[in-house]
Structures are given as C-alpha cells and as structure tokens.
Amino acid sequence: MMCFDSENEEERISRSSRRDSRARRVNTMEMWKRGTLDDRPIKERWSREFKKPKVKKIKDPTEKFDSAALEGLVLEVHRRTCVVRLLGGEVINATYRAAVVHELKEFPAVGDSVMVARAKDAEENAPYSLLRVLPRRSSLVRPGPKDKSRRELVLAANVDQVVVVSSVAEPPFNYGFADRFLLAANLCQLPLVMVLNKTDLVENLPQGVQDFISIVDKFICVSCKSGAGLDALRDVLKNKCSVLSGKSGVGKSSLVNALVPGAALNVGEVRSLDGKGRHTTTSSSLFELPFGGRIIDTPGIRELGVAEMDEHDLARSFPGFFHNDIFTCKYNDCMHLNEPGCDVLARVRSGEIPQARYESYLRILHSEN
C-alpha cells in the first residue's frame, strides 16, 4: 500500500512539473510576441520538458526573394496568376498569394500598377510573386457573387473612360444592358462613350437606339465590316486608357482586331436559335494602341448589376428621368411606381420618357444586385 501511494505521488509531481513547464514556455512566447522579452531577432524554443534550449533565427520576410521589387503593369489576371509587363518591357507571370489578397482586401485587376519580385521557391511557369498593388486612381466595378464577402469585383483599374459597344442588329440593341452600364459608369465617376456597331445592317437607327443616344454625352456609329467610323473612334481612344465592355456578340473582338494590328482575337458568330452572342473573350486583357493609349477588353457579359446602391438613390439618379439631374417628383422618396404627383410616370404616359427606359428601370429596381 505504501508503494502504491509513493507511485501516485511521483506521478502527481511529474504532471505538476510538466504543467509548470508548459506555462513558463507559453508565458515566455507571449512576452516575445508582445515585444516585452527583447528586441533581438532570435527566440528561444524549449522541448516539452523545458529542457535543451534551442536558438532559432527569425526569418526575414524578404529572404524568400532573390531580387529587389520591380514595378509593372497588369495585362491579364487568371486564377492565382497574372501577366505583368515590367517597366523595361519584359512580360512575366506572377503569382498572387492569399496573404497579398488578404492585405489588399481586393484581387489584382487588369490595369493595376503592381510591385513584383522574383521568388526563390517560385513555380516554373510563374517565377515572380506579386508583393502589392499600388493605389488606383479609378476603377470600374461590378457586383461579386452573392455568397462571397466581397460584393464588388473590379473589372478594370486606372481607366479614363468606359466605352460600351452595342450593336443595332444581330443581336439587337439591348436597352437594359446599356442603362446598367451608363448607371455603373456614373457611380464610378467615369465618362461613357457609346459605340454603335454593325450600322451597315440597318438603313436607319431603331427608335430605341435614338432614345438612348439622346441622353449620352458621346456616341459613335461604326462598322467593322466597312470600316466606317473607325477613324472617329481612334480619335476618342487616343492617349487614354479605355475599358471596352458590352454583351457577347456585339463585335468587341472585331473592334480590337481593327484597332490593334496583331491582336488576333477570336470572333464568334451570333447563335441563330436565340440571337445571343457567343463568349469569345474569356478574361480581361490590356492592349497598347499603336496611335497612343490603351484599351482593356473585358469578357462579354450578359448582366451587369449595380453594386451597393440604395433603391431611393437609384430612383433619384436613373439616367434620362430628370433634366439636369433635378428631381421633380412631388415626394422626395418617390419610387416612380404608383405614387401621386410622380413626374416620371406622367412623362412616361405622355411619351416624353420611352416605355422601354421605364421598363429597364423596373428591372434594375427589382433585381437583386
């Protein structure tokens, strides 16, 4: 019996000793993390029994790179990698790690100015790593996936203007899409240029097209097939960074091929069953214009929501509803649905505001952005 008690006592003392050792080890590590232990670039690590102290040098975060950071311009963005053109002209692939994205709270976008460096443990197809994205002077955004924490995705960065390409036929002009892009450009404080393609297919512009171009500051009629209007488009794009957007099948790729010799983008045909375009551009790409300036060709997208916009702000700022952006409805919170004294409804009934524009407003108002 005495032997049994002695064994229990020894075991109890051993457990207590291990607990004390772990506590001392944790307290020391906490002190080191808080900076109250010392400022030397070393730390002590102990075995489980607090014996045999070892000294380990703290890794310098810059040690994983072979060279100094270099500045470059993002030409394309893919999953985990992006194509970057360095200031010297060399085009390289760079990986962007989760830590960089977490620090930025944003993924890199085409048109971004970034800092990259060659990594020691780099993959063969991407020898550089993206260190940081330099501040943006402007951006065109769209809503992100509804199940993600980031509600906005940047389509293009550091742009001077938005160029929306629409076709007057095959596929027909889409009123709702043009309204969404005009509204998105206004929210991002970017000027919008409307380019009407395939004008060789019609003798006169449809009434819906005429109604829309009456509210935009600048529009250009072009035909990639005949070349009409391309010189006027070059003048608008010269010495500016423009983002080219539009629905699939309207001729963005054909325009890029006409403006940038050697681009050789794939051109898709319009589907005969539903008249919708085929996606030929799968990711945004930046091209240098031979006459000066840049264009960012974005994928053809069938929908563009308006991110983080209150429904009352939408009602007060919808393009084409008010002259000189002066709200003229009787009530300040008028949503233009069935409220008394609504100036918008009165002008829709009189024909001053096209019915197609009002229906476009309703679709955006009731959509889940």
Side-chain angles (χ1 to χ4, degrees):
M1 190 67 178
M2 293 291 292
C3 180
F4 179 75
D5 291 340
S6 176
E7 289 179 357
N8 286 345
E9 182 66 17
E10 291 178 358
E11 184 178 349
R12 185 186 65 79
I13 294 174
S14 177
R15 289 198 301 268
S16 176
S17 177
R18 288 198 296 268
R19 284 197 299 269
D20 293 342
S21 297
R22 287 197 297 270
R24 288 196 301 272
R25 182 172 70 249
V26 171
N27 289 340
T28 305
M29 289 301 297
E30 289 296 328
M31 291 173 64
W32 175 78
K33 290 179 181 178
R34 293 195 301 266
T36 57
L37 185 63
D38 56 49
D39 295 328
R40 295 174 298 172
I42 60 174
K43 65 179 180 180
E44 292 184 352
R45 302 188 65 180
W46 295 271
S47 63
R48 187 175 182 81
E49 289 77 20
F50 208 77
K51 300 176 181 178
K52 299 179 182 179
K54 298 179 181 179
V55 176
K56 182 178 180 181
K57 183 180 179 183
I58 299 175
K59 292 183 178 180
D60 184 349
T62 62
E63 286 184 355
K64 62 182 180 181
F65 301 109
D66 286 331
S67 60
L70 302 172
E71 185 175 347
L73 177 68
V74 177
L75 304 181
E76 297 179 12
V77 176
H78 306 284
R79 184 180 181 183
R80 294 187 59 196
T81 64
C82 53
V83 180
V84 178
R85 186 179 64 225
L86 303 179
L87 293 183
E90 180 184 3
V91 177
I92 55 97
N93 289 328
T95 59
Y96 52 93
R97 304 178 187 274
V100 175
V101 174
H102 177 73
E103 180 181 353
L104 296 172
K105 303 295 188 296
E106 185 61 76
F107 287 94
V110 175
D112 269 326
S113 295
V114 297
M115 302 300 295
V116 299
R118 185 182 294 274
K120 289 182 179 179
D121 57 347
E123 302 174 3
E124 183 178 352
N125 62 336
Y128 287 81
S129 290
L130 188 146
L131 301 182
R132 64 181 182 274
V133 175
L134 300 180
R136 296 166 176 159
R137 57 183 173 84
S138 63
S139 61
L140 178 67
V141 301
R142 65 166 296 176
K146 296 182 178 63
D147 59 342
K148 300 296 183 181
S149 60
R150 295 184 182 88
R151 294 300 304 276
E152 293 184 356
L153 297 177
V154 179
L155 290 176
N158 301 316
V159 296
D160 297 308
Q161 60 187 3
V162 178
V163 179
V164 176
V165 182
S166 295
S167 60
V168 295
E170 298 182 11
F173 181 80
N174 188 291
Y175 222 126
F177 180 84
D179 274 330
R180 285 176 177 267
F181 245 111
L182 178 57
L183 192 57
N186 290 343
L187 289 175
C188 296
Q189 298 181 347
L190 292 170
L192 183 136
V193 179
M194 172 62 67
V195 176
L196 300 172
N197 194 20
K198 304 184 181 182
T199 53
D200 56 290
L201 300 179
V202 296
E203 293 184 2
N204 299 305
L205 293 180
Q207 185 60 46
V209 178
Q210 296 183 35
D211 292 337
F212 187 84
I213 63 179
S214 66
I215 65 171
V216 299
D217 293 329
K218 188 175 296 185
F219 71 94
I220 302 172
C221 294
V222 302
S223 171
C224 291
K225 184 176 181 180
S226 66
L230 291 181
D231 288 339
L233 180 58
R234 292 187 181 95
D235 291 338
V236 172
L237 301 178
K238 188 175 181 180
N239 297 328
K240 294 181 179 179
C241 182
S242 308
V243 56
L244 219 62
S245 301
K247 291 177 70 69
S248 302
V250 299
K252 292 194 320 297
S253 297
S254 298
L255 278 177
V256 174
N257 289 335
L259 296 170
V260 185
L265 298 184
N266 293 328
V267 178
E269 299 294 334
V270 176
R271 297 196 298 258
S272 58
L273 294 178
D274 56 10
K276 294 182 179 180
R278 301 176 185 271
H279 289 284
T280 57
T281 306
T282 58
S283 62
S284 298
S285 301
L286 186 147
F287 298 94
E288 296 287 345
L289 296 171
F291 47 86
R294 298 167 177 165
I295 55 173
I296 299 175
D297 181 31
T298 63
I301 50 180
R302 290 196 173 97
E303 294 295 338
L304 178 71
V306 181
E308 304 297 332
M309 188 176 192
D310 182 81
E311 59 181 10
H312 289 93
D313 291 335
L314 175 67
R316 297 180 65 87
S317 62
F318 194 75
F321 272 9
F322 304 103
H323 298 295
N324 300 321
D325 297 327
I326 299 176
F327 192 80
T328 53
C329 291
K330 181 177 181 180
Y331 299 104
N332 289 332
D333 60 350
C334 182
M335 298 299 298
H336 322 312
L337 298 176
N338 50 18
E339 298 88 347
C342 176
D343 186 51
V344 171
L345 291 176
R347 292 165 59 203
V348 170
R349 287 191 291 267
S350 67
E352 185 179 351
I353 296 178
Q355 182 67 30
R357 171 164 299 283
Y358 180 68
E359 293 174 356
S360 174
Y361 162 76
L362 293 179
R363 285 193 296 270
I364 297 175
L365 177 66
H366 297 306
S367 65
E368 296 182 1
N369 296 319

